[in-house]
Amino acid sequence: MLNTHTIKHHFPLFDRHPSLVYLDAGATCPKPQEVIAAEREYEEAFSTNVGRGLYPLAEATTERFEAVRSQVARFIGAESEREIIFTSGTTASLNLAAALLAPTLRSGDHIITTELEHHSNSLPWIELARHSSKGELAHTKNIPLRLIPFTEEGSIDTDQLIALIDSKTRIVALSALSNVFGTRNPITDIIKRIRNRNPETIVIVDAAQMAGHFPIDVAQWDADLVAFSGHKMYGPTGVGILFGKQALLETLRPTTFGGGMVVDACAEPTEYKESPFCFEAGTPNISGVIGLGAAITFLEHIGFETIRTHEKNLLTMTLTRLRENFGDQIHILGTDDIEKRGGLISFTLDHIHPHDLAQILGEHDISIRAGEHCAALLHRKLGLSATARVSFGIYNTEEDVEKLISGIKNARTLFDTKTPLHSSI
Ligand code: PMP
């Protein structure tokens, strides 16, 4: 069993802020000292570029950097490190995916995404469809975007999704775990059903909220492209991954050009390196990648079974305590089935706006998130202007949950009015 009191000491943030109750892992995780030390070690002892220098320090940096690529590949069950593209985060990965796929679209194709996506996995596709409708894609126009609704329990309506797949479905972009509902989508099953309808559809998975909480197995999913961020899995900010099946990456043309990705810049046509290097122009976030490697080692040291057991306990306790204390005044989004939930809970509470709640809790050192959580469409569909969100990491304790509950009780006493501020869910 995870000893949460000792694990907390791996996170210097809690030494600096001993009374902090941090319940916003869904936005970003505090970094363990192992990650900070790895980044620092690179800056202090290596501080050279990758893939360029021929002297020992630069070669050592390249070796360490490429070792993380292999580590990431193993971590997510990729076939080869050549399937791992380093980016600056999930948003960059999904935008890169859209840019890489844009030239492959053909007249009559359509794109499908869902109404529960984070803006990072909706806006790139909305923009792609918009550009095509304005005739701004060189080779084709009018690529419609179709949006799939979500179910009451907060997962993608798979039947509706499958019903829309036909021979012209070029791209399906969906998330593995909703950052608002907290519900996990059955990705393996969904992809299998998509493939049965159209084996050529390219499926992109936003795994930002899965990474660090559940194992990711791209082979089991059979996804074509998968995006996630380092900072939501105890790694540094500014580093992320775009996994792509090698056979697919080999067919795509780079969209960003510059140093480090070219074999012969004077040739006509220019000769680029093979993937993934042709997709990584310029100097990467080297310390970030090194830190990401340390985050993976940290996670593997704890083990996903332990992480899941811990988060599930906190989840069960929080749901119970919220319901016990606030009864029919609290409206919790998503499913009651803990097995289908990741470690986050979004809710509204009668008589207090989520922003007020978050602000008052913040004044008492309890950090939760409030707002649309970059999922405007989802909130619009529910008729909500905002929700409050609590999200867990391995450093959270039962004591944190008790502090949250008494914090919410106190906050409510300040807003003791009889008029609900939200429409019903
Ligand atoms: N997708 C989901 C589901 C997310 O929760 C987030 C971050 N909140 C992102 C994408 C974007 O991640 P990043 O800001 O690290 O690019």
Side-chain angles (χ1 to χ4, degrees), residues 202-225:
I202 292 172
V203 186
I204 296 142
V205 180
D206 172 355
Q209 293 291 340
M210 285 286 277
H213 302 274
F214 296 93
I216 293 176
D217 187 339
V218 295
Q220 196 198 348
W221 281 351
D222 190 24
D224 295 294
L225 295 161

Side-chain angles (χ1 to χ4, degrees), residues 26-27 89-92 94 118 120-121 175 177-179 206 208-209 229 231-232 369 389:
T90 307
T91 306
L94 293 166
H118 186 281
S120 295
N121 198 28
S175 60
L177 199 161
S178 158
N179 67 314
D206 172 355
Q209 293 291 340
S229 299
H231 69 101
K232 292 187 200 283
R369 175 100 188 255
R389 185 185 72 186

Side-chain angles (χ1 to χ4, degrees), residues 139-422:
H139 53 292
T140 188
K141 54 180 170 174
N142 291 334
I143 305 292
L145 177 70
R146 298 180 178 166
L147 286 170
I148 304 299
F150 45 81
T151 64
E152 208 164 308
E153 65 172 17
S155 58
I156 295 165
D157 189 327
T158 311
D159 289 340
Q160 290 217 36
L161 168 63
I162 299 304
L164 278 188
I165 306 287
D166 62 26
S167 63
K168 294 295 188 184
T169 311
R170 188 78 188 129
I171 297 171
V172 176
L174 39 85
S175 60
L177 199 161
S178 158
N179 67 314
V180 180
F181 288 121
T183 314
R184 285 196 282 167
N185 287 303
I187 294 296
T188 307
D189 177 55
I190 296 176
I191 295 181
K192 197 185 279 172
R193 291 179 66 188
I194 293 171
R195 301 249 183 267
N196 284 342
R197 300 271 296 198
N198 182 349
E200 287 181 7
T201 299
I202 292 172
V203 186
I204 296 142
V205 180
D206 172 355
Q209 293 291 340
M210 285 286 277
H213 302 274
F214 296 93
I216 293 176
D217 187 339
V218 295
Q220 196 198 348
W221 281 351
D222 190 24
D224 295 294
L225 295 161
V226 177
F228 56 97
S229 299
H231 69 101
K232 292 187 200 283
M233 49 180 280
Y234 307 103
T237 53
V239 64
I241 301 296
L242 179 63
F243 155 85
K245 280 187 182 169
Q246 196 168 329
L248 170 65
L249 293 184
E250 278 168 3
T251 65
L252 302 174
R253 295 262 311 147
T255 53
T256 306
F257 304 90
M261 49 83 74
V262 66
V263 175
D264 186 349
C266 299
E268 183 57 55
T270 316
E271 194 189 333
Y272 296 114
K273 286 186 181 168
E274 53 192 17
S275 68
F277 306 106
C278 59
F279 305 119
E280 294 178 354
T283 299
N285 178 357
I286 304 171
S287 64
V289 168
I290 303 287
L292 177 63
I296 293 174
T297 305
F298 178 76
L299 283 166
E300 288 178 336
H301 183 66
I302 300 165
F304 277 111
E305 225 168 280
T306 307
I307 292 171
R308 177 61 181 155
T309 305
H310 179 62
E311 289 187 4
K312 228 160 87 172
N313 286 343
L314 293 175
L315 197 59
T316 310
M317 175 179 173
T318 309
L319 287 171
T320 309
R321 304 283 287 121
L322 285 173
R323 291 206 168 103
E324 260 168 26
N325 281 279
F326 308 110
D328 60 6
Q329 307 247 304
I330 189 153
H331 310 277
I332 295 170
L333 275 67
T335 177
D336 279 343
D337 183 348
I338 297 286
E339 294 307 326
K340 290 187 183 168
R341 261 192 186 272
L344 68 91
I345 303 169
S346 300
F347 60 92
T348 58
L349 201 54
D350 290 350
H351 312 314
I352 182 164
H353 192 281
H355 287 169
D356 294 322
L357 178 64
Q359 196 171 349
I360 294 164
L361 289 175
E363 282 162 13
H364 293 88
D365 253 356
I366 302 168
S367 306
I368 70 161
R369 175 100 188 255
E372 285 187 339
H373 317 294
C374 304
L377 188 56
L378 183 157
H379 281 81
R380 198 75 38 90
K381 285 270 155 183
L382 293 174
L384 295 169
S385 61
T387 48
R389 185 185 72 186
V390 169
S391 51
F392 302 112
I394 46 176
Y395 40 76
N396 285 124
T397 60
E398 293 187 355
E399 199 184 331
D400 290 343
V401 177
E402 291 303 354
K403 285 187 180 162
L404 169 75
I405 300 294
S406 27
I408 300 177
K409 280 195 206 160
N410 288 339
R412 285 190 84 227
T413 57
L414 299 173
F415 285 81
D416 198 9
T417 140
K418 296 283 172 262
T419 322
L421 288 171
H422 63 86

